Amino acid sequence: MTTLRIIAGSANPELADTIANYVGAGPADTLVERFPDGELLPIVENVSGSDVYVIQPTPPPVNDHLCELLLLLDACQRARAARITAVVPYLGYARQDRRTRPGQSVGVAVFTKAIAAAGAHRLVVVDPHTPALEAISPIPVEILTAVPTLAQEIALSDRVVVAPDEGAVKLAERYAAVSPNPLAVVRKRRKSGTEVTALELIGNVRGRLPVIVDDMITTGATIATALGLLNLHGAAPDVTVAATHGVFAHGALGRLHRLGLRHVLITDTISHRTLQPEFQVCSIAPVLAEAIAAMHNDEPLRAPPSTAWNLT
């Protein structure tokens, strides 16, 4: 059997180290040189003939981290790795999966083609924003989920699961399936990248404890809008928010703190040095490590939880 190697990019080396410890594989020697003009020069060693997993999410600055990922993949290919898997826990550009007007690009298509061209044989992601990723990507995609990891930290049995927009409904169904829960959906209209307007709430939340679930929090505008609508419909004030990816751009942390939320759960797909006390970080490393071990041994991956629909 080929040797398992973990390559850590600079976006989240702590996550890569934790995964390496779980699977019992020491990280391969990796150096990313940075030139004065900003160019990157990754150097990887001891990967010839190995089964290599490059751990590199693409949070802000997304373009820098994407470029580093592509260069690391190319370096592994040129170092004669036997098989290369791009493990991108947070996949940037995933919301750009279709054109909404003439003249636009489809960012996630460009992104996945570049990953394949750089040498990756497979792509591993966690709760991507687009459900069309597998159809778009030119290489096989393994989609993992953080739902069980986050759900075990929430007393779901006495809560209503709230999808803050239509795009989060499938994810909310997975949470509702963990423990039979009612489901509510917020219909919204996005005005810009930082401003949204709530249109209506589908489902009954009056007097119930809500848990708002989404795949990511970028600016916090969607959460703020959903929370305002929940308050108008008489939901209990103790609101929990659970999101796989804490992107936290454009003052999102301050906005969430001002909302008075007592409990915000995220995973470590994106590295954060300091967070307010209301934030709880749950590690996705065991999920990624289990998947990497299965792929290395050519075993099937564990199926995600089944979904259920109980809109009340």
Side-chain angles (χ1 to χ4, degrees):
M1 179 179 292
T2 57
T3 302
L4 171 60
R5 295 288 186 185
I6 301 293
I7 299 290
S10 66
N12 199 337
E14 300 86 0
L15 178 61
D17 288 344
T18 304
I19 292 171
N21 289 333
Y22 271 112
V23 299
D29 295 332
T30 308
L31 173 66
V32 179
E33 294 185 359
R34 296 180 183 272
F35 292 102
D37 63 355
E39 288 186 11
L40 304 176
L41 178 61
I43 303 171
V44 298
E45 298 182 5
N46 303 321
V47 299
S48 178
S50 299
D51 185 16
V52 176
Y53 296 81
V54 180
I55 316 293
Q56 174 77 344
T58 56
V62 59
N63 297 323
D64 290 355
H65 289 138
L66 169 58
C67 184
E68 181 182 337
L69 170 63
L70 298 178
L71 292 172
L72 283 168
L73 294 170
D74 182 74
C76 291
Q77 183 182 45
R78 295 177 188 276
R80 300 185 303 279
R83 186 168 63 177
I84 305 170
T85 300
V87 181
V88 190
Y90 168 67
L91 182 72
Y93 285 96
R95 75 189 82 191
Q96 297 186 32
D97 61 349
R98 67 179 69 85
R99 296 192 306 160
T100 58
R101 53 172 291 181
Q104 289 182 334
S105 65
V106 181
V108 73
V110 176
F111 192 155
T112 53
K113 287 177 183 176
I115 289 175
H121 301 106
R122 292 177 299 188
L123 174 62
V124 177
V125 299
V126 180
D127 291 332
H129 192 70
T130 174
L133 182 61
E134 285 188 272
I136 293 172
S137 174
I139 55 176
V141 179
E142 299 292 350
I143 297 177
L144 309 180
T145 182
V147 169
T149 300
L150 294 170
Q152 69 184 0
E153 301 296 327
I154 308 169
L156 283 172
S157 58
D158 58 352
R159 290 185 177 269
V160 55
V161 178
V162 179
D165 56 28
E166 295 95 322
V169 169
K170 288 295 183 184
L171 190 68
E173 285 181 331
R174 291 184 180 179
Y175 279 92
V178 174
S179 177
N181 292 92
L183 183 66
V185 180
V186 175
R187 288 189 61 241
K188 73 173 186 182
R189 177 186 296 119
R190 179 169 292 279
K191 294 183 177 180
S192 67
T194 59
E195 186 179 1
V196 298
T197 300
L199 300 178
E200 64 174 322
L201 177 68
I202 303 171
N204 179 23
V205 299
R206 184 167 299 278
R208 293 174 170 173
L209 294 169
V211 52
I212 303 173
V213 300
D214 211 345
D215 63 300
M216 63 180 176
I217 303 174
T218 303
T219 67
T222 296
I223 300 299
T225 300
L227 185 60
L229 198 58
L230 290 172
N231 291 335
L232 285 174
H233 284 75
D238 186 8
V239 179
T240 295
V241 174
T244 302
H245 313 292
V247 182
F248 301 145
H250 297 287
L253 289 174
R255 170 181 263 168
L256 293 171
H257 184 69
R258 290 190 296 272
L259 292 175
L261 297 168
R262 298 180 184 178
H263 200 192
V264 181
L265 291 98
I266 57 172
T267 74
D268 56 354
T269 57
I270 296 173
S271 178
H272 295 286
R273 296 290 180 262
T274 57
L275 291 170
Q276 290 100 330
E278 63 265 27
F279 288 85
Q280 178 183 346
V281 180
C282 305
S283 182
I284 198 67
V287 174
L288 288 166
E290 180 183 16
I292 288 172
M295 288 185 289
H296 177 63
N297 295 319
D298 293 323
E299 298 173 351
L301 273 62
R302 183 184 302 183
S306 59
T307 59
W309 180 266
N310 181 18
L311 187 60
T312 63

